Amino acid sequence: MGKLLKIDMERAFKSRKFILIVLVEVVYILVYSWRFLYTAITSTIPFLKQYIGIKCDYIPGAFHYWIGFYNSPFRMILFAVIPLLCAVVYGVEIFLDEKKHYNIQYFIRTDIRKYYLSKIITMFVSGGVVAAIPFVLSLYINLMVLPMEAVNTINNYNFPLSDKLVCSGIMLNHPIIYCLIYILWIFVVYGVINCMTFIFSFILSNRFVVMIGSYFVYFASFVLGDFIKGIPLLWKSGHFNQLDKDSMYMIIIQYAVIIVSVAAMLFCVSRRKRDRL
C-alpha cells in the first residue's frame, strides 16, 4: 500500500498539470492582491486613519481583505472553479489506466482493493492541496503587507459574527486559528468532492466528461440552491464563514453520502476485477 501511494502521489504532485494549476492559482492571487491590497495601502487605510476616534473606530486589515472573507468577484470565481482545478490535477488517471489497461500490471502484483484505495486517497489529498493553496497564499500575503486588525462583532468581515455561526467565538478571540480552520475545512470539503471522480471513472465513457463530473454535481447544487432555501448544499458548504451551526448536520449528511458512494463503488469494482482476473 505504501509503495502504491508513493507512486500515485508522485504522479499527482510531480506532474506538469499540478505545476500549471499552481502557477495559475499563484498568478490569480497576485492579481487579486494587487487589485485590492494596493488600494488599501495607498488609499483606504491612510484615509480612514485620520478619522480614527472621530468618525470611525475600525480600519480594515489583513483579515478583512483575505480572499476567504472579502466579498469580491475574485472570491466568487475561485469558489466556482475549485472542483474543476482539482479534477484537472488528478481526476482522469483511473479512467485512463482502465482504458489503456495500464492497471493490469498492478492487479497481478498487489491487492486490487489497495490499488483503488491508493487512488482515492491521492484524489482526496491532491484535491485538498489544490483547493487550499490560494487561501494559504492570500493569507500569507495579507499578513505580510497589512496590519492585523482587532476583531469584534461590529467589524464587517462580509458575514455577521454571531453565536449561530460555526466557530464564531474562535474568530473573535483567535482570528488566525479561525483562518487555519477555514483552510482545513476547504482542504477536506474539496478533497471529498474530488473523490467523486472515482465514481464517474467507471460509469462514464468520455475522458472530458469524467473530469467535469464532480464539477457538474457541484454546479447542480448551486442551481438547486435557488429552490431549496436555508440548506447549504455543496456549492455553499465551502464558505466556512457563512455556515450556521443548525445546518451543519445537513452538510455532514451530504458528504457522508459521497463517502459511502465512493466506498460502495470501491467494493463493486474490486470484486469485478477479481472475477475478471
Side-chain angles (χ1 to χ4, degrees):
M1 179 68 179
K3 291 182 178 180
L4 289 173
L5 196 57
K6 180 181 178 182
I7 293 172
D8 288 326
M9 288 294 181
E10 288 180 349
R11 289 182 67 184
F13 293 108
K14 291 185 178 181
S15 65
R16 293 179 180 179
K17 292 186 291 185
F18 176 72
I19 296 173
L20 177 61
I21 292 299
V22 170
L23 288 176
V24 170
E25 291 180 332
V26 169
V27 171
Y28 189 80
I29 293 301
L30 291 177
V31 173
Y32 166 81
S33 300
W34 175 262
R35 169 66 178 81
F36 294 104
L37 272 59
Y38 178 78
T39 304
I41 294 171
T42 59
S43 302
T44 307
I45 294 178
F47 175 78
L48 293 176
K49 266 187 175 182
Q50 61 184 326
Y51 294 107
I52 284 293
I54 304 174
K55 295 182 179 179
C56 71
D57 297 317
Y58 167 71
I59 295 180
F63 302 120
H64 178 85
Y65 287 104
W66 183 44
I67 198 169
F69 293 154
Y70 197 61
N71 190 18
S72 70
F74 284 84
R75 179 175 182 264
M76 295 171 60
I77 293 172
L78 179 61
F79 273 110
V81 302
I82 285 178
L84 189 56
L85 298 178
C86 297
V88 168
V89 171
Y90 198 84
V92 297
E93 275 66 24
I94 291 181
F95 175 81
L96 294 177
D97 290 352
E98 291 279 330
K99 188 174 182 179
K100 297 177 181 179
H101 304 292
Y102 176 75
N103 50 10
I104 297 298
Q105 62 176 310
Y106 289 98
F107 294 161
I108 61 179
R109 291 183 176 91
T110 187
D111 183 74
I112 300 172
R113 188 166 298 177
K114 289 182 179 180
Y115 169 82
Y116 285 124
L117 183 59
S118 174
K119 299 288 186 184
I120 294 172
I121 294 174
T122 304
M123 283 182 175
F124 173 78
V125 175
S126 62
V129 170
V130 170
I133 285 175
F135 297 91
V136 173
L137 182 59
S138 177
L139 181 62
Y140 177 77
I141 293 175
N142 284 21
L143 293 174
M144 287 290 290
V145 302
L146 291 175
M148 289 190 295
E149 69 273 36
V151 180
N152 57 62
T153 55
I154 300 176
N155 295 351
N156 178 22
Y157 290 93
N158 303 292
F159 65 99
L161 282 171
S162 66
D163 292 336
K164 293 184 178 180
L165 293 180
V166 177
C167 298
S168 58
I170 297 178
M171 178 61 188
L172 286 171
N173 299 307
H174 307 284
I176 292 183
I177 295 178
Y178 179 88
C179 292
L180 295 178
I181 295 174
Y182 191 136
I183 294 171
L184 179 61
W185 176 260
I186 291 290
F187 180 94
V188 173
V189 163
Y190 290 100
V192 173
I193 290 176
N194 196 44
C195 288
M196 287 193 292
T197 311
F198 178 78
I199 300 174
F200 297 123
S201 296
F202 298 98
I203 63 177
L204 299 174
S205 58
N206 182 275
R207 174 180 179 176
F208 178 75
V209 178
V210 170
M211 187 174 65
I212 66 171
S214 58
Y215 179 78
F216 177 80
V217 175
Y218 182 73
F219 185 77
S221 70
F222 167 73
V223 177
L224 290 174
D226 291 335
F227 300 95
I228 306 175
K229 302 295 183 179
I231 299 178
L233 300 178
L234 294 183
W235 183 274
K236 286 290 185 181
S237 63
H239 299 70
F240 184 72
N241 59 314
Q242 298 174 1
L243 296 182
D244 191 288
K245 293 178 181 177
D246 296 333
S247 61
M248 278 298 293
Y249 75 97
M250 287 300 303
I251 295 176
I252 294 174
I253 290 175
Q254 292 176 69
Y255 286 99
V257 169
I258 295 175
I259 293 172
V260 170
S261 300
V262 171
M265 180 59 73
L266 171 63
F267 176 77
C268 292
V269 298
S270 298
R271 289 181 60 84
R272 178 174 62 87
K273 293 299 178 182
R274 185 180 294 112
D275 293 340
R276 193 180 77 175
L277 292 175

